[in-house]
Amino acid sequence: MRRGSFVLIPMLCLILALAVVGQILKQSQVEAKQLKQQQYLLQASSLGDAAAQRAVRRMIQDTDYDGETWKVEIESMGKVNPGEVVIKVEKNRQMEDSHIITTESSYPADDIYRVRVIRKWPFTVKSQNSEK
């Protein structure tokens, strides 16, 4: 009987240790997924900011600019994943010479785990009459 208890106690300790290690591995996997999602969110937000700046530059050059789908290639993104932003420009009906730029950025563009960030940016076009 004593011999059996010497084998049983280490085996129970081993099972308990394996359960703890398994739980730690599971938790680290969840944290890694959350970290990747936060990285995707930050990248999608940055793409939205860049797209709004792109839209402003395009509107200054072309007053008829109403938006585009901007595909950001892998080379531009540090050879990780491509991004995509849909830019829409609409006239603000409440204010003259004012527009609303809507950016819908997705990162990574073709991944099932992509993050999509939608933002609206007000933009006022200064008329040339107001400068005189």
Side-chain angles (χ1 to χ4, degrees):
M1 191 71 144
R2 285 187 180 179
R3 277 192 163 182
S5 64
F6 284 125
V7 172
L8 186 61
I9 292 173
M11 194 172 278
L12 288 175
C13 290
L14 181 63
I15 290 171
L16 182 62
L18 286 175
V20 168
V21 168
Q23 203 57 25
I24 290 171
L25 288 175
K26 186 177 178 182
Q27 183 64 29
S28 66
Q29 185 180 21
V30 168
E31 289 175 2
K33 254 186 197 176
Q34 288 175 342
L35 185 61
K36 187 168 281 287
Q37 285 298 105
Q38 287 176 349
Q39 176 190 5
Y40 289 171
L41 177 63
L42 182 61
Q43 191 65 50
S45 296
S46 296
L47 280 174
D49 294 346
Q53 293 172 6
R54 178 184 177 102
V56 168
R57 282 194 308 272
R58 295 287 303 270
M59 287 174 63
I60 290 170
Q61 294 171 352
D62 179 12
T63 56
D64 294 330
Y65 176 76
D66 64 350
E68 65 182 297
T69 299
W70 179 32
K71 294 187 183 271
V72 184
E73 300 300 323
I74 293 176
E75 291 79 26
S76 302
M77 301 296 294
K79 296 187 179 186
V80 181
N81 293 308
E84 181 178 273
V85 185
V86 176
I87 304 168
K88 296 177 187 170
V89 178
E90 301 170 334
K91 287 193 180 245
N92 188 347
R93 296 178 185 155
Q94 298 171 346
M95 295 177 64
E96 189 177 327
D97 292 335
S98 179
H99 294 77
I100 296 179
I101 301 168
T102 303
T103 60
E104 183 178 310
S105 52
S106 300
Y107 186 82
D110 299 327
D111 196 336
I112 60 170
Y113 297 110
R114 74 175 161 251
V115 173
R116 182 167 289 149
V117 175
I118 300 171
R119 289 194 179 153
K120 293 188 182 279
W121 311 81
F123 177 70
T124 303
V125 179
K126 293 182 180 178
S127 65
Q128 293 180 353
N129 295 337
S130 65
E131 292 177 8
K132 293 181 180 181

